[in-house]
Amino acid sequence: MTAAFPQPLDGVVTPRFAGPVTFMRLPQIEDATQLDIALLGVPFDLGTTNRAGARHGPREIRNMSAIIRRVHPVTRVEPCRLCRVADAGDTPTNPADLMHSLQLIEDRVAEIRAAGAWTLSLGGDHLISLPILRGIARATPGFQPLGLVHFDAHSDTNDTYFGGMRYTHGTPFRRAIEEGLLDPKRIVQIGIRGSLFDPEDMVWAAEQGVRIIRIEEFEALGVDATIAEARRVVGDGPTYLTFDVDSLDPAFAPGTGTPEIGGLTPREAQRMLRGLRGLNLVGADVVEVAPPFDQSGGTALIGANMMFEILCLLAEARVASR
Ligand code: MN
Ligand code: MN
């Protein structure tokens, strides 16, 4: 319907190993007034508490995203024909200053939202979700707290680290709840597992009403019932989607900062994302791909494919919002 929309390079015309390195080989367009959905790199990992490296995630996801073709194999959705989608480049960051970086990320996201585009961000560690949500709130008149579908091994609702540090990739959703960016009763976390710092680790989140689906419960429910529960929790209201690649088992996705054994398979993640079709999504991110620990490139490949699954959801949501 819209030959004028930005299109990926055609893989049967320009080989997929050739050409410039952008997300899905789309044009790079930084002026968000020209876009409905901005694919936004956030090369930041100062929130990482263990193995750093997610700052290199956007570049490697761009590289591996060259393998993505334009049509979803199951839904037949073509996101770049539904919407104006392009690679909006990377947010500025300050690799010597965490707090300054948070401000720079928030400012860029607010600028994009104010220009009328939504963001699908590629991290970066999970702390980036906090300034992204702040930027969305700042640029949305009459903002109301969002729902959240959160795939992760970790709840990321701890309070502080290292003697009072409130901003790490283990704390973004606690801060987002405290700041009124998220409605805790409309948060669902899927895939939670791994050893704890303290028996009380997730008590605060549960007390706020966050629906935590640990991996054991996911196993008992199965994919379809987990989808149904996620949809029940977030309901029809505006919802953000965040996908931490460590929700997957490190057998598939070892290239991440805080791997936890006993995780989701890529198939389970694909099925669950496809089951979220029709949700009132308003933005999303894929985080925690850490290329220094990704010797096969397979984790960045998963990141690129999850990006495409989510882009298809966002494009349909964007059309439905018109
Ligand atoms: Mn996380
Ligand atoms: Mn995690």
Side-chain angles (χ1 to χ4, degrees):
M1 58 195 188
T2 47
F5 284 9
Q7 292 298 310
L9 288 179
D10 189 333
V12 297
V13 176
T14 308
R16 281 182 282 164
F17 49 82
V21 180
T22 60
F23 291 124
M24 282 182 59
R25 304 205 307 162
L26 279 155
Q28 180 157 339
I29 300 175
E30 302 203 358
D31 173 9
T33 64
Q34 300 179 38
L35 301 178
D36 299 306
I37 298 175
L39 305 178
L40 183 66
V42 187
F44 167 89
D45 63 12
L46 297 180
T48 302
T49 55
N50 185 15
R51 309 195 302 176
R55 69 181 59 182
H56 304 290
R59 185 167 290 180
E60 285 309 310
I61 293 172
R62 281 191 177 94
N63 187 23
M64 296 310 279
S65 77
I67 204 163
I68 304 293
R69 305 174 191 88
R70 66 180 69 217
V71 183
H72 192 284
V74 177
T75 64
R76 305 286 164 148
V77 166
E78 294 189 57
C80 301
R81 296 207 182 276
L82 292 177
C83 290
R84 299 172 297 166
V85 184
D87 187 327
D90 289 337
T91 65
T93 63
N94 178 344
D97 190 330
L98 184 154
M99 298 306 285
H100 186 210
S101 293
L102 296 186
Q103 191 62 55
L104 291 167
I105 296 164
E106 175 188 333
D107 289 348
R108 177 64 176 137
V109 171
E111 176 183 50
I112 290 170
R113 298 289 298 204
W118 294 1
T119 52
L120 170 50
S121 302
L122 290 302
D125 74 42
H126 220 154
L127 183 54
I128 70 167
S129 297
L130 179 63
I132 290 167
L133 291 167
R134 286 172 171 170
I136 292 171
R138 203 171 100 194
T140 304
F143 177 82
Q144 295 290 315
L146 300 173
L148 181 72
V149 181
H150 176 190
F151 293 91
D152 207 321
H154 313 98
S155 174
D156 296 348
T157 51
N158 289 328
D159 190 10
T160 62
Y161 286 65
F162 313 125
M165 180 53 182
R166 302 174 74 244
Y167 300 101
T168 78
H169 69 162
T171 65
F173 301 112
R174 186 152 178 155
R175 298 290 93 83
I177 292 168
E178 291 170 346
E179 295 178 19
L181 304 170
L182 296 174
D183 174 357
K185 295 183 173 54
R186 293 182 53 235
I187 297 177
V188 59
Q189 304 185 317
I190 302 167
I192 307 300
R193 61 191 189 277
S195 50
L196 307 175
F197 291 111
D198 186 280
E200 306 281 299
D201 271 1
M202 276 168 262
V203 169
W204 182 88
E207 284 174 354
Q208 309 311 304
V210 175
R211 176 71 171 96
I212 299 171
I213 302 180
R214 291 185 45 83
I215 198 76
E216 292 81 7
E217 184 179 3
F218 163 75
E219 272 187 301
L221 288 173
V223 167
D224 292 341
T226 300
I227 291 168
E229 177 65 354
R231 298 184 73 106
R232 182 193 69 76
V233 170
V234 300
D236 298 329
T239 296
Y240 192 80
L241 171 61
T242 188
F243 189 94
D244 185 330
V245 80
D246 74 25
S247 59
L248 300 174
D249 194 277
F252 304 103
T256 194
T258 317
E260 305 286 355
I261 67 164
L264 301 173
T265 68
R267 280 296 298 150
E268 289 164 342
Q270 284 178 310
R271 289 173 60 201
M272 281 193 276
L273 288 171
R274 291 169 191 178
L276 300 179
R277 230 180 149 186
L279 284 193
N280 183 1
L281 296 175
V282 298
D285 57 46
V286 175
V287 298
E288 298 284 352
V289 171
F293 303 100
D294 191 25
Q295 293 176 10
S296 69
T299 312
L301 176 66
I302 288 172
N305 277 276
M306 296 305 159
M307 173 192 85
F308 180 67
E309 296 285 345
I310 294 167
L311 175 61
C312 292
L313 298 175
L314 271 186
E316 287 194 303
R318 181 77 210 227
V319 169
S321 76
R322 281 175 188 148

